[in-house]
Amino acid sequence: MSEYDSKRFPPFAVTVDVVVFSVAATFSLLLVRRGRDPFKGDYALPGGFVLPDESVDDAARRELAEETGLSFDETSGNYLEQLQTFGAVDRDPRMRVVSVAYLALLSHRPVIEAGTDAVEAMWHNVEDLPKTRLAFDHDDIASIALERVRAKLEYTTLATSLIGDEFSLAELRDVYELVWGCKLDLPNFRRKVLASDGFVVPTGKRRAASRGAPAQLFRAGGGRDLSPPLMRA
Amino acid sequence: MSEYDSKRFPPFAVTVDVVVFSVAATFSLLLVRRGRDPFKGDYALPGGFVLPDESVDDAARRELAEETGLSFDETSGNYLEQLQTFGAVDRDPRMRVVSVAYLALLSHRPVIEAGTDAVEAMWHNVEDLPKTRLAFDHDDIASIALERVRAKLEYTTLATSLIGDEFSLAELRDVYELVWGCKLDLPNFRRKVLASDGFVVPTGKRRAASRGAPAQLFRAGGGRDLSPPLMRA
DNA sequence: GTAATAGTGTCTGTGAGACACTATAAA
DNA sequence: TTTATAGTGTCTCACAGACACTATTAC
């Protein structure tokens, strides 16, 4: 990157913002409290500047790891995808910033350690999102991410990224119910899931719940797409 | 944007690249021939730098207008949406560039005037895409855009953005057949489309084809989503 | 008339949703 | 035995696809 070249284009700051979801009794997303102005004290999405020698995708992974304490690894059942880029002129009052937003799904909810930036990070129930005002345009980003997760559960096997390695079909249905906020008929859900090639594979094991018959356990199959899709009510 | 601030973040160039599709006898996309190195003489997607005082979306509209000679207007049946952002470290050999890719659908294929940048722009049949090597990572961008259009025809009313204001259902079916590259049964297509609320509304007019009975004409309805979707074979 | 296109009718298979029913465990 | 959960069977309705058929035009 020569001095000559760098004078020929308008310089922008490029950041990443990550909408991190996890399911554990509640469907929640990770928010941090801002330690400095602007929006000091408000909640915001975890994120930060992209560095000159890392790809934008890598920046998202790094920020996610820094913010959750988790060494983020897509091979361990977690999921990361690019959501959308936000490039309004005045989205940051300090300077011109283009932010690439990401969507992350965690298979386990990690215990959050205090961030390096003196920010508090905490899990926030998505049902409380409408009541929470986020910094910058993070309200928009979060609600777009939320709709994207909900939609993707319909036509992909992504629900398996929000649950541990081994799970019963009732637990998988619980993920759907928590994300979609509706009830699903377990018999019909079971048939759909088992009929979808590559969605889940039985492990052969069983696990006893507190009551009732012990459930068969499954693991995520290799498949990514669901056709026909599972529909919301 | 103070001098103080601009020293605290790594500067990036931000560009837009637009994948422009149109249907007219063939399903085609707009490519420009590069007039300078790198990749001089190769085909590439139309695009350019985002300016400091315009949003990234506006930059896409501006580039599209400049490249097609068309004053791009989403109210006149055209369509523009953000596709994905490409941020690999070495995607441009000259410097660090993050590019926000857009997908555009035109309702009419404009006559291309010579670009201001001494580039030739031309319409290229999408079937020839695999044989064409594009500059930078534009191959990836184009094929992602192509899959996105094909998928979106299933669950949205976007096909109406690839056709003129008034159209017969056979013409609408032709759009689907050209984009998907498959044959569709007109009677079944007709029933699906008419049953989808907000997809098309009859104008009351008819238009005679070269042969056969004159067809009823329709206009795009207000609807955006198709549920249930129209499926590819 | 014939050929071509527009449009309707109808049958069949598949699958989603509703829900009755059986099976297996803990208290 | 009661209760809760896992899992199966079955009925019904809606709809996609196949395709026979009718209607309206140009030649």
Side-chain angles (χ1 to χ4, degrees):
Chain A
M1 193 188 293
S2 71
E3 185 61 22
Y4 176 77
D5 276 328
S6 62
K7 285 208 160 51
R8 291 176 55 105
F9 65 87
F12 285 73
V14 177
T15 61
V16 290
D17 288 305
V18 191
V19 188
V20 194
F21 291 106
S22 91
V23 169
T26 63
F27 178 41
S28 304
L29 83 166
L30 189 69
L31 295 178
V32 300
R33 203 186 269 279
R34 285 186 57 79
R36 60 173 70 141
D37 269 323
F39 300 101
K40 181 171 179 175
D42 283 4
Y43 285 106
L45 297 171
F49 289 115
V50 178
L51 303 180
D53 58 350
E54 67 183 354
S55 71
V56 180
D57 287 356
D58 284 341
R61 280 186 207 97
R62 176 179 53 74
E63 285 293 342
L64 187 50
E66 288 176 11
E67 223 79 51
T68 62
L70 173 81
S71 113
F72 183 78
D73 188 356
E74 273 137 302
T75 62
S76 64
N78 297 319
Y79 179 78
L80 182 71
E81 76 167 28
Q82 196 183 296
L83 182 65
Q84 193 176 315
T85 295
F86 295 80
V89 174
D90 58 355
R91 57 179 298 281
D92 188 315
R94 294 164 297 179
M95 57 187 167
R96 187 64 199 273
V97 179
V98 168
S99 181
V100 186
Y102 283 77
L103 165 66
L105 306 180
L106 302 188
S107 55
H108 296 91
R109 185 172 300 180
V111 178
I112 301 299
E113 306 166 21
T116 58
D117 229 0
V119 294
E120 319 164 34
M122 56 177 287
W123 292 100
H124 223 97
N125 192 325
V126 296
E127 287 171 17
D128 300 332
L129 252 192
K131 288 177 279 180
T132 313
R133 177 135 47 202
L134 303 185
F136 306 106
D137 51 3
H138 290 190
D139 279 315
D140 295 334
I141 302 177
S143 63
I144 290 170
L146 181 56
E147 181 46 35
R148 178 102 134 225
V149 191
R150 286 179 170 152
K152 280 224 160 185
L153 286 209
E154 288 192 344
Y155 59 94
T156 69
T157 61
L158 266 196
T160 58
S161 298
L162 285 166
I163 203 171
D165 195 46
E166 288 192 326
F167 49 86
S168 70
L169 293 186
E171 289 166 346
L172 185 63
R173 183 205 50 177
D174 290 344
V175 169
Y176 275 91
E177 289 188 345
L178 281 166
V179 173
W180 284 350
C182 67
K183 290 291 170 189
L184 295 176
D185 181 81
L186 185 53
N188 293 330
F189 179 81
R190 176 186 195 79
R191 244 189 313 270
K192 276 290 296 187
V193 170
L194 294 181
S196 296
D197 224 54
F199 196 172
V200 298
V201 289
T203 63
K205 294 187 234 170
R206 291 182 162 269
R207 185 204 298 147
S210 53
R211 289 280 242 273
Q216 275 185 268
L217 294 183
F218 294 83
R219 182 181 301 119
R224 309 260 295 134
D225 291 327
L226 240 46
S227 63
L230 250 141
M231 298 307 272
R232 284 180 268 190
Chain B
M1 192 190 292
S2 71
E3 184 63 21
Y4 175 79
D5 277 327
S6 62
K7 284 208 159 50
R8 291 176 55 105
F9 65 87
F12 285 73
V14 177
T15 61
V16 289
D17 289 305
V18 190
V19 189
V20 193
F21 291 107
S22 92
V23 169
T26 62
F27 178 41
S28 305
L29 82 166
L30 189 69
L31 295 178
V32 299
R33 203 186 269 279
R34 286 185 57 79
R36 58 173 71 141
D37 269 321
F39 300 101
K40 181 171 178 176
D42 283 4
Y43 285 107
L45 298 172
F49 289 115
V50 178
L51 303 179
D53 58 350
E54 67 184 353
S55 71
V56 180
D57 288 356
D58 285 340
R61 278 185 208 98
R62 176 179 53 74
E63 286 292 342
L64 187 50
E66 287 176 12
E67 223 79 49
T68 62
L70 174 80
S71 112
F72 183 79
D73 189 354
E74 274 138 303
T75 62
S76 64
N78 298 318
Y79 179 78
L80 182 71
E81 76 166 29
Q82 196 184 297
L83 182 65
Q84 192 176 314
T85 294
F86 294 80
V89 174
D90 57 357
R91 57 177 299 281
D92 189 314
R94 294 166 298 180
M95 56 185 165
R96 186 64 199 273
V97 179
V98 167
S99 181
V100 185
Y102 282 78
L103 166 66
L105 306 181
L106 302 188
S107 55
H108 296 92
R109 185 172 299 181
V111 177
I112 301 300
E113 306 166 21
T116 58
D117 230 359
V119 293
E120 318 165 35
M122 55 178 287
W123 291 100
H124 225 255
N125 192 325
V126 296
E127 287 172 15
D128 301 331
L129 252 192
K131 290 177 278 181
T132 312
R133 179 139 40 207
L134 303 185
F136 306 105
D137 51 3
H138 291 190
D139 279 315
D140 295 333
I141 300 177
S143 63
I144 290 170
L146 181 56
E147 180 46 35
R148 179 101 134 227
V149 190
R150 287 180 169 151
K152 279 224 162 183
L153 287 209
E154 288 192 343
Y155 60 92
T156 69
T157 61
L158 267 195
T160 58
S161 298
L162 285 167
I163 203 170
D165 195 46
E166 289 194 324
F167 49 85
S168 70
L169 294 186
E171 290 166 345
L172 186 62
R173 183 205 50 177
D174 290 345
V175 170
Y176 275 91
E177 289 187 345
L178 282 166
V179 174
W180 284 349
C182 65
K183 290 290 170 191
L184 294 175
D185 181 80
L186 185 53
N188 293 331
F189 179 81
R190 177 186 193 79
R191 244 191 313 271
K192 274 293 295 188
V193 169
L194 293 180
S196 296
D197 224 54
F199 195 171
V200 298
V201 289
T203 63
K205 294 187 231 168
R206 293 183 162 269
R207 185 203 298 147
S210 53
R211 289 280 240 275
Q216 275 185 266
L217 294 184
F218 295 83
R219 183 181 299 119
R224 309 261 296 134
D225 292 327
L226 239 46
S227 64
L230 250 141
M231 299 306 272
R232 284 180 268 191

